[in-house]
Each structure stands twice: as structure tokens, then as C-alpha cells.
Amino acid sequence: TYIKNKLAGRDNLHRNKKRDVIIWIPSTTDLTKDFVMVLWFHGHYGYVPHRTFEDRTLKQLVPLAASNKNFVLVIPEMPWSIHTKTPTKRNSLVWSKQGDFINFVKSVEKTLSEHNGMKAMGNIDYKIVGHSAGGSTIKRLGMTGDLCKLNPSLVAWSDSSYGRWLDTAWNGCLKSHPSISVEV
């Protein structure tokens, strides 16, 4: 497991002035083979170890690791995390320029390649999950086009299609990429 603070970016409203990203590589994952990268965007007051990770994410994903599913979990800390002065604000105010999110993913891939000893990595099947306010991130990525440039096989809205977030992402780029499965 890696906790990187340089990947998620500087944030003056965060108590540490920077947001983290967690990269979990289960011990059963073989990065030289094709694998899934799950990018999980948390909701308001998220990034709480017992609630976000132990009670939700890990309970769902540890059994997958035990069954030898080949995957990596990436959880970037959003601007509305519990560690900021804005735990219910700044929705979608992350990766706001075209290319920002792609650069973030490339940084994660660099960490994975270093973990893998710079060996060739397998193909990556990206899956995007936005939980609650995390849907605003999917909205933003649809607007910038980075979501479709990444070409994930799945975009899952986990209790997160509030207001016009889903419509905005759909009209941004998703409707022109029928190969991307959208689950609400």
C-alpha cells in the first residue's frame, strides 16, 4: 500500500496543505499480467479510515483479493474530505482542466511500474466508481473529456447521480463512447 501526497495535489484548505492518494496493490496482484485499476472517488466527509476503508471499501475488495482477482485500488482524497475545511463543499473542483486527470493516472501508473521493478506491465482495465459526492468528479471528467480519453470499461455511479451530474457527464463525452458501460 502506498500513500502518496504529491500525486493528489496541493490544497490550502487541507489541514496538511496537500491531499493524499492511497494505492493498494493486493499481495495476489501480478502487475505483469492484465489487471483492473479501480479508481474510487469518495463522498462528503470521506477519507475516514474506519468508515471509508474498513466498513465499506475493504469489506468489498478484500474477498476479491483472496479470490486472486488481479486488481489495484486507487483512492484519491477529494477536496471535500474530512481533512479539509470544506467537507461538504467544492464538489467537482478537482482535475478541472483537460489532461489533469490523465496526468494523475500516469503518475499512479509510474508508482505501479516502480513497484513492479520497472518490468513491463500488463494491460490496464480502468473502472471508475463515484460514491455520493464522488459523482461530481465523474461529472467534471466527462466535461473535460479525460474520462473518455482514459476509456474505462465501467463508470459506476454509487448513490452519486445527483442533480444533473450524470446528464452533464453523459453530454460531455460519455454518449459518444458506447463502449463505456455506465451503471447507476
Side-chain angles (χ1 to χ4, degrees):
T1 301
Y2 295 91
I3 300 176
K4 300 275 190 167
N5 55 35
K6 291 181 181 176
L7 296 184
R10 183 145 182 78
D11 185 343
N12 289 330
L13 297 176
H14 191 285
R15 70 176 171 212
N16 296 326
K17 303 298 181 203
K18 56 191 175 286
R19 294 188 311 274
D20 294 331
V21 60
I22 294 173
I23 303 169
W24 180 47
I25 308 167
S27 62
T28 56
T29 296
D30 182 350
L31 297 173
T32 64
K33 297 179 180 175
D34 295 353
F35 64 95
V36 171
M37 181 188 295
V38 177
L39 291 135
W40 179 279
F41 306 140
H42 66 77
H44 286 165
Y45 289 98
Y47 231 69
V48 180
H50 67 277
R51 188 176 79 203
T52 302
F53 308 122
E54 294 169 20
D55 294 348
R56 294 183 181 163
T57 314
L58 289 179
K59 278 189 179 177
Q60 296 174 42
L61 295 174
V62 166
L64 289 176
S67 67
N68 292 321
K69 299 290 184 194
N70 215 35
F71 73 96
V72 170
L73 174 65
V74 178
I75 307 175
E77 187 174 13
M78 299 285 109
W80 48 86
S81 92
I82 193 70
H83 306 291
T84 69
K85 294 178 183 177
T86 56
T88 61
K89 296 179 176 30
R90 299 195 292 165
N91 291 340
S92 81
L93 296 180
V94 63
W95 302 309
S96 57
K97 295 180 187 157
Q98 188 174 25
D100 285 352
F101 179 65
I102 297 299
N103 289 335
F104 167 77
V105 172
K106 286 180 183 177
S107 296
V108 169
E109 291 172 359
K110 182 176 186 286
T111 298
L112 295 178
S113 71
E114 290 168 356
H115 175 82
N116 201 32
M118 302 303 269
K119 296 176 190 166
M121 286 198 306
N123 294 317
I124 303 172
D125 174 12
Y126 303 97
K127 297 185 186 292
I128 308 285
V129 179
H131 175 71
S132 194
S136 71
T137 301
I138 299 173
K139 175 193 97 167
R140 172 63 61 190
L141 299 177
M143 291 169 62
T144 66
D146 278 7
L147 179 63
C148 298
K149 187 175 180 182
L150 186 65
N151 196 29
S153 64
L154 172 70
V155 175
W157 300 76
S158 170
D159 188 26
S160 63
S161 58
Y162 301 112
R164 302 202 39 90
W165 292 353
L166 176 58
D167 293 337
T168 303
W170 183 258
N171 291 324
C173 75
L174 282 172
K175 70 179 175 186
S176 60
H177 286 78
S179 64
I180 300 173
S181 176
V182 177
E183 306 246 345
V184 181

